[in-house]
């Protein structure tokens, strides 16, 4: 069973249906956390007719917040004037609100703005007018600014923001994005959406999430303006937050971004303070680098020993090997040597063609499929399907998710330990049968790892049969140690003949192996999986 959404030329109610679905879902799951403003907003929405709501949603979806009433013209809104009047009665819009001059300049055609705000006949650009008036703090009605047409402004943007957050579980998606991203036909797995497994458990977490989102936006503006004088106070503001465990991943990501910018600006001590709040990669690496600059070698070494013994990602191990001797030397410790990774290499000379080098190599070598990460990751996705879509509290927000929200978090595996125990307890025949069942039962359902359009079941099973169960377990476990980074870097080609197989990384002239590619070649070597690097040169 799956949730499906079909917006392939929907009727005029499609966005209204989405909006009402969002509100009803949020009401069922979060009614106990509603503010008085939320309840009022929902009550006023429920008093509106479908035509009136269509207009309101159109306004919410457009760039605003101000609109010229006479310019509003939608075929599905039969009587715009009546709809506006009803929205005003419900206090969902405001007629002719007080606005700043720059708001009118931004809204009106440039010639009309000049007549209102520029003396004489000077042909000044809109951008220049905005700059002239941006700092003016005068608030007047449009009529008092000299503009006589009706302007309307939707209300309750804060409530809409909260409802969208409670529905989507993030602020990246909005009703507009959701509708646009789901044009066509998409299918989604079924998972429970009830109050027991919701993400937010208290109003404080909702407020903190919104504050974190505001801080992220503020940090973006500081970077855009390069207004570094604000950064130290901003960092202290971020540090002062009280954040629950549910939101610490998001908080730590923000702290690390701010810390990295401070490090670049040579504000090393404050940067170090921010990085020391967490161990989310690349926090520990950056701490070592800063401590090295501060000549605190012993403290840096202690963190490096943690990186070596308990790495959180492949990148931390790579960093350890590259950086440890920069600490060993000033500490008069023996320098460490690391064996160079070994893998098979082959060389191929071909005539240059007007196509990609991987395609040329695949054709020349024969029996090859150029799928890079797609093939092994799809096998991984089919094998762990039950874990990906497990009933885990707080990771399912709306009916149209292709993945849980904690997919890339450190706790993803631990929260589904019982699922993975069952998956890894299967013998190879059982796991193969599970792949076939998933392929047939879940065909077309969105999964973050499975690429239905590029594969056939025959190819999936051909690749699966090539490796032993122990080898697949090794591949799966390596991915699970850092899904975000280990889902890429697989060799370009999968070559399969009757009795042989090989994964082949293709490198054209001047192309070098990337760190994630080297990491996978090491894993394949450790697991005795046939793999090689093919260096292509042109005749």
């Amino acid at each position: 069973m799956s949730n499906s959404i079909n917006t392939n030329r929907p009727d005029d109610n499609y966005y209204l249906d989405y909006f009402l679905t969002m509100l009803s879902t949020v009401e069922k799951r979060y009614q106990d956390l509603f503010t008085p403003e939320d309840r009022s907003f929902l009550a006023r929405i429920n008093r509106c007719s479908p035509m009136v709501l269509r207009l309101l949603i159109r306004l919410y979806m457009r760039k605003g917040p101000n609109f010229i009433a006479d310019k509003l013209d939608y075929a599905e809104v039969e009587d715009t004037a009546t709809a506006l009047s009803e929205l005003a009665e419900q206090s969902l819009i405001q007629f002719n609100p007080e606005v700043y001059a720059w708001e009118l300049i931004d809204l009106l055609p440039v010639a009309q703005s000049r007549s209102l705000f520029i003396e004489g006949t000077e042909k000044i650009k809109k951008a220049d007018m905005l700059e002239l008036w941006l700092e003016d703090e005068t608030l007047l009605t449009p009529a008092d600014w000299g503009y006589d047409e009706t302007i309307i402004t939707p209300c309750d943007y804060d409530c809409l923001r909260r409802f969208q957050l409670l529905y989507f579980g993030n602020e990246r998606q909005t009703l507009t994005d959701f509708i646009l991203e789901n044009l066509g036909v998409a299918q989604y797995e079924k998972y429970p959406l009830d109050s027991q497994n919701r993400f937010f458990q208290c109003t404080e977490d909702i407020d903190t999430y919104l504050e974190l989102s505001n801080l992220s936006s503020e940090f973006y503006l500081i970077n855009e303006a390069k207004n570094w004088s604000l950064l130290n106070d901003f960092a202290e503001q971020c540090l002062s937050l009280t954040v629950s465990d549910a939101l610490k991943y998001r908080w730590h990501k923000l702290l690390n971004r701010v810390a990295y910018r401070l490090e670049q600006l040579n504000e090393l001590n404050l940067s170090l303070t921010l990085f020391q709040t967490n161990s989310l990669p690349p926090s520990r690496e950056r701490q070592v680098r800063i401590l090295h600059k501060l000549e605190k070698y012993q403290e840096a070494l202690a963190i490096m020993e943690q990186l070596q013994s308990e790495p959180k990602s492949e990148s931390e191990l790579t960093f350890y090997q590259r950086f440890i001797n920069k600490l060993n030397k000033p500490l008069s410790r023996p320098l460490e040597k690391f064996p160079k990774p070994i893998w098979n290499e082959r060389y191929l000379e071909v005539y240059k063609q007007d196509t990609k080098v991987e395609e040329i190599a695949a054709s020349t070598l024969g029996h090859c499929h150029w799928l890079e990460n797609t093939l092994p990751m799809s096998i991984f996705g089919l094998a762990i399907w039950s874990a990906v879509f497990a009933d885990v509290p707080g990771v399912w927000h709306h009916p149209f998710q292709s993945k849980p929200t904690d997919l890339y978090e450190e706790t993803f595996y631990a929260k589904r330990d019982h699922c993975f125990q069952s998956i890894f307890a299967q013998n190879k025949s059982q796991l193969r049968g599970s792949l076939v069942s998933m392929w047939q039962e879940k065909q077309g359902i969105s999964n973050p790892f499975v690429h239905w359009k590029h594969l056939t079941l025959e190819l999936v099973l051909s690749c699966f049969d090539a490796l032993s169960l122990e080898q697949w377990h090794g591949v799966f476990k390596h991915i699970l140690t850092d899904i975000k980074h280990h889902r890429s870097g697989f060799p370009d080609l999968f070559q399969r003949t009757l009795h042989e197989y090989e994964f082949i990384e293709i490198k054209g002239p001047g192309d070098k192996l990337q760190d994630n590619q080297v990491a996978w070649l090491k894993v394949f070597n450790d697991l005795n999986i046939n793999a090689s690097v093919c260096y292509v040169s042109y005749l």
Side-chain angles (χ1 to χ4, degrees), residues 98-110:
E98 290 185 334
V99 293
Y100 295 106
W102 67 263
E103 292 182 274
L104 275 183
I105 294 169
D106 190 46
L107 179 66
L108 301 178
V110 64

Side-chain angles (χ1 to χ4, degrees), residues 63-256:
K63 178 188 174 184
N66 303 307
F67 302 92
I68 301 170
D70 287 347
K71 300 291 185 181
L72 300 175
D73 183 21
Y74 300 105
E76 67 272 23
V77 181
E78 300 88 353
D79 188 341
T80 301
T82 298
L84 289 174
S85 178
E86 288 189 32
L87 288 172
E89 287 177 14
Q90 298 299 330
S91 299
L92 289 166
I93 65 167
Q94 184 179 1
F95 282 115
N96 297 316
E98 290 185 334
V99 293
Y100 295 106
W102 67 263
E103 292 182 274
L104 275 183
I105 294 169
D106 190 46
L107 179 66
L108 301 178
V110 64
Q112 205 164 8
S113 295
R114 288 193 198 113
S115 68
L116 292 174
F117 299 105
I118 302 299
E119 295 182 2
T121 58
E122 183 182 357
K123 297 291 184 181
I124 186 171
K125 296 179 180 178
K126 174 173 281 196
D128 295 330
M129 279 191 286
L130 285 170
E131 188 174 351
L132 280 173
W133 285 90
L134 195 57
E135 301 299 324
D136 187 274
E137 297 182 357
T138 306
L139 270 173
L140 297 174
T141 64
D144 288 337
W145 283 117
Y147 184 74
D148 296 327
E149 295 185 46
T150 300
I151 287 178
I152 62 104
T153 302
C155 305
D156 301 291
Y157 277 106
D158 287 343
C159 288
L160 177 65
R161 181 187 181 192
R162 284 171 59 87
F163 272 83
Q164 289 184 148
L165 170 61
L166 294 174
Y167 185 71
F168 291 107
N170 63 70
E171 286 219 292
R172 298 185 305 277
Q173 292 172 285
T174 65
L175 187 67
T176 302
D177 295 329
F178 187 72
I179 293 169
L180 295 177
E181 288 174 4
N182 285 281
L183 293 174
V185 177
Q187 291 180 289
Y188 298 88
E189 185 62 285
K190 288 184 71 69
Y191 34 78
L193 293 172
D194 51 43
S195 57
Q196 280 70 44
N197 66 358
R198 65 191 187 184
F199 178 61
F200 295 102
Q201 299 300 327
C202 59
T203 55
E204 289 80 8
D205 275 358
I206 299 172
D207 294 339
T208 300
Y209 191 106
L210 292 171
E211 187 171 3
L212 285 169
S213 186
N214 291 340
L215 288 170
S216 292
S217 299
E218 186 178 344
F219 181 59
Y220 173 80
L221 294 175
I222 289 173
N223 278 279
E224 282 291 293
K226 294 183 171 55
N227 198 347
W228 310 129
S229 62
L230 301 177
L231 198 55
N232 284 29
D233 288 342
F234 177 79
E236 296 291 351
Q237 185 181 356
C238 293
L239 278 171
S240 68
L241 292 178
T242 300
V243 179
S244 70
D245 289 343
L247 296 178
K248 279 187 177 176
Y249 178 76
R250 180 175 177 84
W251 183 44
H252 291 161
K253 285 178 66 177
L254 173 62
L255 289 174
N256 287 352

Side-chain angles (χ1 to χ4, degrees), residues 372-471:
E372 296 185 40
N373 309 300
T374 299
L375 180 54
M377 286 306 301
S378 292
I379 293 173
F380 172 74
L382 291 168
I384 71 159
W385 192 288
S386 61
V388 172
F389 294 102
D391 182 6
V392 174
V395 302
W396 304 112
H397 303 290
H398 55 85
F400 310 114
Q401 289 179 232
S402 62
K403 62 180 182 293
T405 54
D406 69 337
L407 182 66
Y408 298 131
E409 293 184 20
E410 188 177 348
T411 56
F412 173 81
Y413 185 95
K415 287 181 179 178
R416 297 159 179 82
D417 183 63
H418 64 288
C419 293
F420 285 109
Q421 285 186 31
S422 298
I423 291 167
F424 287 116
Q426 297 177 96
N427 62 35
K428 190 174 183 186
S429 176
Q430 291 170 329
L431 184 54
R432 191 182 196 275
S434 178
L435 296 182
V436 174
S437 297
M438 290 296 106
W439 183 272
Q440 294 171 343
E441 295 171 13
K442 306 296 185 181
Q443 184 65 220
I445 295 177
S446 297
N447 179 299
F449 308 115
V450 181
H451 302 269
W452 301 106
K453 293 182 180 180
H454 302 291
L455 299 171
T456 64
L457 179 57
E458 180 183 11
L459 178 56
V460 167
L461 294 179
S462 175
C463 184
F464 177 77
D465 291 340
L467 276 60
S468 70
L469 180 64
E470 292 73 21
Q471 288 171 328

